[in-house]
Amino acid sequence: MSDPLLHHGGNLAAARARYGDGPWLDLSTGINPVPWAIPRDLDVTLGPLPNPSLLADLEAAAAAHFGVVQDHVCAVPGSEMGLRLLGPLLGGRACHQVPGYRTHGAAFADSIPVSAGMPVPEDAALLLANPNNPCGTLRDRATLEALAAERTAAGGWLIVDEAFADAHPEASIAPLVDDSRRLIVFRSFGKFFGLAGLRLGFVLAPRPILARYRTLLGDWPIDATALAIASRAYRDHAWIDVTRVALIARATAFDRQLASHGLAPEGGSPLFRLVAHPDASALFEQLARARILVRPFDYAPHWLRFGVPADAAALDRLERALRGG
């Protein structure tokens, strides 16, 4: 049986079962540890089915945030769900860039792993993340636009998972989605806004692709709570601007802390850092015994991914654990 702590981040139940209960500090995900505060005056009616106008309003707010025309945006119950529906919906062959998300390899029945720069069959879809996870590699928009043009000309698709792209609006290729390009983009609500439990994501694609999604999803794909919260959050421009700055400041402070312990953080996302360590398993155990959970990897045993701590108290707790105290 595979180790559940090696499968994905956020598995506190497995961590508690192995290392004991207590006040855990979960640094195993890339979810913003300072979430958008749900307003007390938010009025959600859960009795009736959601009014279709609420879904349209959410997609309009999200489209404005992404910089794309609303007709090219479809809300889904989590970007992972959208990815898993894509293979059966789109069909054909695919290549997924590695290292990357496990879901990318599972999205298509016929998908092969490729490293960055490797050739891709002409008619195949290419699925990658920007920024990448777990490495945090960030490609600029011009590079992705060239890839989209190459895939379109070859008769394939470029599929970009932008789950962590809210902190990098200048690198997002979302504004280039239209009916003339073979380009599909996925976005996640929960990571940047720190509300992953809502299970909300978006597919940005040519309209014929979105029509197939809507047929599969039915009339009420998103619950009323997620509709109300996300519609308000995407329009909170002041919070979004402040958060982008705050994330960078926290990541910079975290980089200094890691460096002071001889750890070299990698990655361009301010939501997580990757660390290579010759004895990563021992470091993982040391932190876990201090009730701090980070993300190990079965395919790269020398790697650990750290979510960026929320505040000075979390940094101080991690500092004590790194010192062995």
Side-chain angles (χ1 to χ4, degrees), residues 71-72 89 157 178-179 205-214:
D71 287 353
H72 294 293
L89 184 152
W157 288 87
D178 61 26
D179 289 342
R207 285 174 293 181
I209 299 295
L210 295 190
R212 297 183 213 172
Y213 265 102
R214 295 193 190 280

Side-chain angles (χ1 to χ4, degrees), residues 31-36 189-197 239:
I31 299 167
N32 186 351
V34 184
W36 184 74
F189 172 77
K191 292 178 174 61
F192 179 76
F193 288 92
L195 298 170
W239 184 90

Side-chain angles (χ1 to χ4, degrees), residues 26 98 166 180 210 242:
D26 186 4
V98 291
D166 294 88
S180 68
L210 295 190
V242 167

Side-chain angles (χ1 to χ4, degrees), residues 68-159:
V68 65
V69 175
Q70 183 179 348
D71 287 353
H72 294 293
V73 176
C74 176
V76 293
S79 57
E80 182 182 11
M81 177 72 76
L83 281 160
R84 291 186 180 276
L85 290 174
L86 181 62
L89 184 152
L90 203 60
R93 296 187 296 167
C95 296
H96 58 281
Q97 283 200 355
V98 291
Y101 293 91
R102 290 181 184 272
T103 302
H104 291 180
F108 286 78
D110 182 9
S111 184
I112 61 172
V114 296
S115 299
M118 286 181 60
V120 177
E122 282 195 355
D123 61 344
L126 174 60
L127 175 54
L128 55 85
N130 193 50
N132 190 21
N133 179 29
C135 303
T137 305
L138 182 67
R139 297 173 175 87
D140 59 42
R141 186 185 296 185
T143 298
L144 292 172
E145 186 172 3
L147 274 175
E150 184 269 331
R151 286 291 86 207
T152 299
W157 288 87
L158 177 64
I159 304 158

Side-chain angles (χ1 to χ4, degrees), residues 3-316:
D3 186 338
L5 293 176
L6 294 171
H7 188 67
H8 60 75
N11 203 334
L12 279 176
R16 287 192 175 101
R18 184 175 305 176
Y19 298 100
D21 289 328
W24 278 84
L25 174 60
D26 186 4
L27 300 180
S28 67
T29 74
I31 299 167
N32 186 351
V34 184
W36 184 74
I38 299 172
R40 294 186 178 183
D41 65 348
L42 195 70
D43 184 19
V44 181
T45 302
L46 297 178
L49 290 166
N51 188 314
S53 67
L54 298 178
L55 178 60
D57 184 61
L58 167 61
E59 291 176 346
H65 177 74
F66 304 146
V68 65
V69 175
Q70 183 179 348
D71 287 353
H72 294 293
V73 176
C74 176
V76 293
S79 57
E80 182 182 11
M81 177 72 76
L83 281 160
R84 291 186 180 276
L85 290 174
L86 181 62
L89 184 152
L90 203 60
R93 296 187 296 167
C95 296
H96 58 281
Q97 283 200 355
V98 291
Y101 293 91
R102 290 181 184 272
T103 302
H104 291 180
F108 286 78
D110 182 9
S111 184
I112 61 172
V114 296
S115 299
M118 286 181 60
V120 177
E122 282 195 355
D123 61 344
L126 174 60
L127 175 54
L128 55 85
N130 193 50
N132 190 21
N133 179 29
C135 303
T137 305
L138 182 67
R139 297 173 175 87
D140 59 42
R141 186 185 296 185
T143 298
L144 292 172
E145 186 172 3
L147 274 175
E150 184 269 331
R151 286 291 86 207
T152 299
W157 288 87
L158 177 64
I159 304 158
V160 184
D161 186 342
E162 293 191 343
F164 291 98
D166 294 88
H168 310 279
E170 75 290 345
S172 172
I173 199 174
L176 300 182
V177 170
D178 61 26
D179 289 342
S180 68
R181 290 185 178 90
R182 295 173 71 86
L183 171 65
I184 299 172
V185 175
F186 288 88
R187 295 293 289 255
S188 171
F189 172 77
K191 292 178 174 61
F192 179 76
F193 288 92
L195 298 170
L198 283 184
R199 307 309 305 136
L200 177 63
F202 298 87
V203 186
L204 286 57
R207 285 174 293 181
I209 299 295
L210 295 190
R212 297 183 213 172
Y213 265 102
R214 295 193 190 280
T215 298
L216 286 173
L217 292 167
D219 294 327
W220 300 284
I222 310 299
D223 77 81
T225 303
L227 291 171
I229 291 173
S231 295
R232 184 82 72 89
Y234 275 127
R235 293 186 170 99
D236 192 346
H237 304 299
W239 184 90
I240 291 168
D241 291 343
V242 167
T243 297
R244 284 174 174 153
V245 174
L247 286 173
I248 293 172
R250 288 201 294 270
T252 300
F254 186 41
D255 287 345
R256 288 196 296 267
Q257 181 185 53
L258 291 173
S260 72
H261 289 275
L263 302 172
E266 301 176 23
S269 172
L271 286 166
F272 62 89
R273 288 291 188 259
L274 185 71
V275 168
H277 190 279
D279 199 358
S281 61
L283 180 56
F284 173 85
E285 290 286 332
Q286 177 181 331
L287 295 175
R289 288 193 297 271
R291 304 300 188 269
I292 297 175
L293 183 61
V294 296
R295 170 75 160 94
F297 297 89
D298 51 0
Y299 61 85
H302 61 295
W303 281 357
L304 292 175
R305 189 190 65 196
F306 289 72
V308 175
D311 50 31
L315 284 171
D316 181 65

